[in-house]
Amino acid sequence: MKKTLDEKLGAIEKIISHEEFRSKKGLGNEVTYYIFDYPPEEELKVRSYLKKLEKKFKTSPQGFELKIYDLYDIMLDLIEEEELLEACIEMEENDGMDYLISSVYDLLNMDSDDNYFNTYILENTPDNSVVFITGVGKIYPFLRAHGILNKLIIALDGIPMVLFYPGKYDGQSLTLFSLFDDGNYYRALPLIR
C-alpha cells in the first residue's frame, strides 16, 4: 500500500536519525543520496514540516546537524548581493527569458564543479551533517534537478543528502511537477518508497 504524504513526512526524522543512514555506502563505496518526491500541490505542507524539523534539531541536538538549503533562496541572495536584481528584470524584459536563464546559469558558474551552490553548501556544512536540498520547483527553469544533483554529489562527498522534489521520482527518471521530464538520474535512491 502506498504511503500518504503525512506518513512519509513522519518517517523522515526516524530515518535520518539512524547511524546506518548517515554511514550507508553504495556499490562504489560512495555515500548514498536520496530523493524525497511528493505531490507538487503539497509544497507548502512539505515546507512547513521541514521548518518544524529544522527547529526541533536546533533545540534538541541529535548528534549530527541537519542543514537545509533552499536553492532558490541561495540564488536570489547572490543576485541581490551582487546588486543584479534590477538588471535581471530588465534583461528578461529586453532580451527574453532564455537569455536571463543563460546569464544566471553563468553567474552561478554551473558548468564548474566549483559552482556557487557547491561552494556555498560546502562552506556552510559541518562534516557530521545531513543535508536537505529544497527549492527545486522554485528555481526551475533556471536549473534542473539532475544537473544540481550531479554537481552536489561531488561537493558533498561523505555527507548524506536528500533532495526534496516536487514531482515524481521512480528510481530512474525525474518528472518535475509530475509534468515535465527533468532528466534521468540513477545515482539516488528514493528516501521512502
Side-chain angles (χ1 to χ4, degrees), residues 56-57 66 126 136 149 166 187:
K56 181 176 182 179
F57 272 74
L66 176 62
V136 171
L149 284 168
R187 296 170 75 180

Side-chain angles (χ1 to χ4, degrees), residues 70-86 88-89 104 107-108 116-117 138-139 142:
D70 184 308
L71 298 175
Y72 180 79
D73 290 346
I74 293 170
M75 178 186 74
L76 196 56
D77 287 348
L78 173 64
I79 289 170
E80 289 175 345
E81 181 181 303
E82 296 292 322
E83 299 180 358
L84 294 172
L85 189 56
E86 289 300 318
C88 286
I89 293 167
V104 171
L107 174 68
L108 295 168
Y116 186 73
F117 294 113
K138 294 188 296 183
I139 205 166
F142 292 95

Side-chain angles (χ1 to χ4, degrees), residues 44-110:
L44 296 180
K45 179 184 271 191
V46 173
R47 284 186 205 173
S48 175
Y49 173 79
L50 292 177
K51 282 184 182 177
K52 288 177 189 172
L53 190 61
E54 184 177 37
K55 184 177 180 182
K56 181 176 182 179
F57 272 74
K58 283 182 179 172
T59 57
S60 177
Q62 304 292 315
F64 66 95
E65 283 195 53
L66 176 62
K67 300 296 286 187
I68 301 177
Y69 298 105
D70 184 308
L71 298 175
Y72 180 79
D73 290 346
I74 293 170
M75 178 186 74
L76 196 56
D77 287 348
L78 173 64
I79 289 170
E80 289 175 345
E81 181 181 303
E82 296 292 322
E83 299 180 358
L84 294 172
L85 189 56
E86 289 300 318
C88 286
I89 293 167
E90 288 176 19
M91 193 178 300
E92 182 183 5
E93 290 172 357
N94 298 332
D95 303 312
M97 187 65 168
D98 289 341
Y99 187 77
L100 174 62
I101 290 169
S102 176
S103 297
V104 171
Y105 188 89
D106 290 345
L107 174 68
L108 295 168
N109 195 25
M110 289 307 296

